[in-house]
């Protein structure tokens, strides 16, 4: 098994330095591109409605991720509360956009470390932090604590990609596997549907930094479980709001045609997309024509690695109770053959 990077950083004494540098960003918060400048160390609440301590809504073995993350024991998912985006179609809006309720789920860094160790003891194959951007410093501190107590699993950074490059640079080797969503190919969609400026610019800068750290190689253990690498998730949205073609072309031309892509069909209208007429373009599921068009782009641009969800089972990828939802994935190469 490949040794997680944070263990090497711990051994050399570099890990505490990284944690300190990350936590310093909280004093005038620049943890994400919003650059709120609030002093979160004094519990001044930033745009993500988060302060000094992490918020954990749920943690559990999860079986709805890509096959190389799930294995037989599941991914060790830790769902952070709140978010630095405000996606009008968020499938987890009950935890990402209900900050008054989520404050009740605030935990200490030590408790977060215990959660990681519990998931390891249950047989999970990795620690998968879901929506970690706004809690990256807290995550790093908890990893340092858990590593000293026996954590040995790869760390997955499961992000919306609205990340600061300076933070990602400090997370190099702290994170083993990057699992970013590339939500949009245009800034206008990012502003309309996720309420942030310059999503295209910041997400592409973030992905370029992740690629710099990992390259296009996926490193597996002898059981086929992912130990290190980058998987870019592309969620197909109705009416081509995500700009799948543009994103795949950018990935191929700027990163590599060998970068692993996870093409997802799981979209369904929820939250404001299901009720607000302003978002009528998002008020239905993706149809089969839209899905096949996205799948064909993978073949057209000769993308070589990754997975795609089977269209019929897509709605069951995530469930609100975070239970063991299963969604079939097909290897991209199976489709191209």
């Amino acid at each position: 098994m490949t040794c997680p990077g944070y263990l090497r950083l711990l051994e050399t004494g570099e890990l505490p330095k990284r944690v300190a540098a990350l936590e310093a960003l909280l004093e005038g918060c620049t943890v994400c591109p919003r650059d709120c400048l609030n002093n979160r160390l004094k519990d001044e609440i930033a745009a993500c409605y988060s302060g000094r301590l992490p918020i954990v809504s749920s943690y559990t073995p999860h079986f709805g991720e890509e096959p190389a993350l799930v294995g037989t024991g599941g991914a060790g998912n830790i769902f952070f509360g709140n978010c630095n985006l405000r996606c009008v179609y968020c499938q987890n809006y009950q935890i990402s956009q209900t900050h008054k309720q989520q404050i009740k789920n605030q935990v200490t860094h030590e408790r977060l470390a215990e959660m990681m160790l519990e998931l390891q003891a249950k047989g999970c194959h990795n620690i998968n932090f879901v929506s970690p951007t706004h809690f990256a410093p807290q995550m790093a501190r908890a990893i340092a604590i858990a590593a000293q107590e026996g954590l040995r699993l790869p760390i997955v950074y499961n992000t919306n990609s609205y990340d600061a490059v300076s933070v990602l640079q400090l997370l190099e080797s702290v994170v083993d596997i990057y699992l970013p969503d590339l939500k949009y190919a245009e800034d206008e969609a990012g502003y309309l549907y996720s309420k942030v400026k310059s999503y295209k610019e910041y997400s592409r800068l973030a992905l370029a930094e992740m690629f710099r750290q990992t390259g296009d190689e996926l490193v597996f253990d002898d059981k086929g479980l992912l130990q290190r690498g980058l998987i870019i998730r592309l969620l197909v949205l109705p009416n081509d709001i995500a700009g799948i073609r543009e994103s795949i072309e950018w990935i191929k031309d700027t990163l590599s045609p060998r970068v692993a892509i996870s093409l997802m069909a799981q979209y369904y209208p929820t939250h404001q997309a299901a009720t607000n007429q302003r978002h009528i373009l998002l008020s239905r599921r993706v149809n089969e024509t839209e899905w096949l068009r996205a799948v064909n782009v993978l073949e057209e641009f000769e993308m070589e690695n990754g997975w795609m969800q089977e269209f019929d089972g897509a709605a069951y990828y995530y469930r609100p109770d975070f239970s063991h939802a299963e969604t079939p994935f097909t290897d991209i190469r199976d489709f191209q053959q």
Side-chain angles (χ1 to χ4, degrees):
M1 180 180 293
T2 303
C3 178
Y6 60 85
L7 293 179
R8 294 191 295 272
L9 295 179
L10 180 65
E11 184 178 351
T12 63
E14 176 66 16
L15 186 55
K17 297 177 183 177
R18 298 282 191 88
V19 172
L22 285 162
E23 289 181 332
L25 300 177
L26 293 169
E27 187 171 3
C29 191
T30 54
V31 168
C32 89
R34 283 183 176 272
D35 288 343
C36 294
L37 303 180
N38 302 64
N39 189 343
R40 290 174 60 186
L41 295 178
K42 294 185 177 180
D43 270 332
E44 292 180 8
I45 303 301
C48 60
Y49 294 104
S50 305
R52 182 178 66 89
L53 292 176
I55 292 172
V56 177
S57 296
S58 179
Y59 68 105
T60 184
H62 198 271
F63 293 82
E65 313 291 7
E66 287 74 6
L69 297 173
V70 168
T72 58
N77 281 25
I78 296 178
F79 294 88
F80 281 124
N82 299 339
C83 188
N84 63 331
L85 300 189
R86 296 287 182 277
C87 298
V88 300
Y89 54 90
C90 180
Q91 295 177 7
N92 291 336
Y93 72 92
Q94 300 97 328
I95 66 173
S96 68
Q97 299 182 39
T98 57
H99 63 278
K100 291 182 179 179
Q101 288 75 36
Q102 290 306 309
I103 193 67
K104 302 173 185 177
N105 295 322
Q106 197 172 77
V107 298
T108 64
H109 302 87
E110 289 76 13
R111 177 60 189 133
L112 179 54
E114 289 175 357
M115 293 176 185
M116 297 183 223
L117 295 169
E118 289 175 29
L119 291 170
Q120 178 173 265
K122 288 181 178 180
C124 293
H125 303 299
N126 49 66
I127 301 298
N128 181 14
F129 289 103
V130 182
S131 299
T133 300
H134 54 305
F135 286 127
Q138 293 88 339
M139 177 195 77
R141 176 165 288 281
I143 290 170
I145 295 170
Q148 295 179 56
E149 298 297 324
L151 184 68
R152 295 296 182 268
L153 298 180
I155 299 297
V156 182
Y157 192 80
N158 186 341
T159 174
N160 57 41
S161 296
Y162 201 63
D163 291 277
V165 170
S166 58
V167 171
L168 295 174
Q169 289 171 339
L170 290 170
L171 291 176
E172 183 170 6
S173 296
V174 178
V175 168
D176 300 288
I177 300 163
Y178 284 106
L179 188 61
D181 290 313
L182 184 53
K183 292 181 174 293
Y184 314 106
E186 297 298 336
D187 288 336
E188 181 181 5
Y191 187 76
L192 285 173
Y193 302 119
S194 294
K195 312 306 179 187
V196 289
K197 297 179 180 179
S198 303
Y199 178 86
K200 173 183 176 181
E201 174 189 359
Y202 286 117
S203 62
R204 291 184 176 188
L205 287 172
L207 288 171
E209 172 58 24
M210 297 176 197
F211 178 76
R212 183 194 67 78
Q213 294 179 25
T214 66
D216 58 16
E217 180 185 8
L218 297 180
V219 179
F220 300 93
D221 67 7
D222 56 5
K223 297 180 180 178
L225 295 166
L226 187 60
Q227 303 297 297
R228 185 175 185 274
L230 168 65
I231 302 172
I232 300 176
R233 285 176 164 175
L234 298 173
L235 175 64
V236 180
L237 297 176
N239 296 296
D240 197 32
I241 286 171
I244 296 295
R245 168 179 287 275
E246 292 82 355
S247 289
I248 292 176
E249 185 173 17
W250 177 83
I251 291 168
K252 178 182 180 180
D253 291 346
T254 306
L255 304 183
S256 165
R258 289 190 51 77
V259 167
I261 289 177
S262 181
L263 190 68
M264 302 190 298
Q266 70 194 51
Y267 178 80
Y268 64 93
T270 186
H271 192 33
Q272 296 179 41
T275 59
N276 191 328
Q277 284 297 305
R278 292 177 58 193
H279 307 306
I280 193 169
L281 294 178
L282 286 168
S283 63
R284 62 169 175 82
R285 293 182 184 272
V286 173
N287 61 45
E288 188 172 12
T289 298
E290 290 169 325
W291 171 248
L292 291 176
R293 188 180 298 126
V295 171
N296 287 333
V297 172
L298 292 174
E299 183 176 33
E300 177 184 342
F301 286 106
E302 300 180 328
M303 303 305 291
E304 301 177 21
N305 292 308
W307 300 267
M308 56 187 182
Q309 290 177 334
E310 294 182 8
F311 184 74
D312 289 341
Y316 303 100
Y317 184 76
Y318 279 121
R319 297 197 347 216
D321 60 357
F322 309 114
S323 60
H324 296 182
E326 294 187 12
T327 296
F329 277 85
T330 300
D331 193 293
I332 283 176
R333 289 166 294 185
D334 293 340
F335 166 75
Q336 294 174 342
Q337 293 171 1

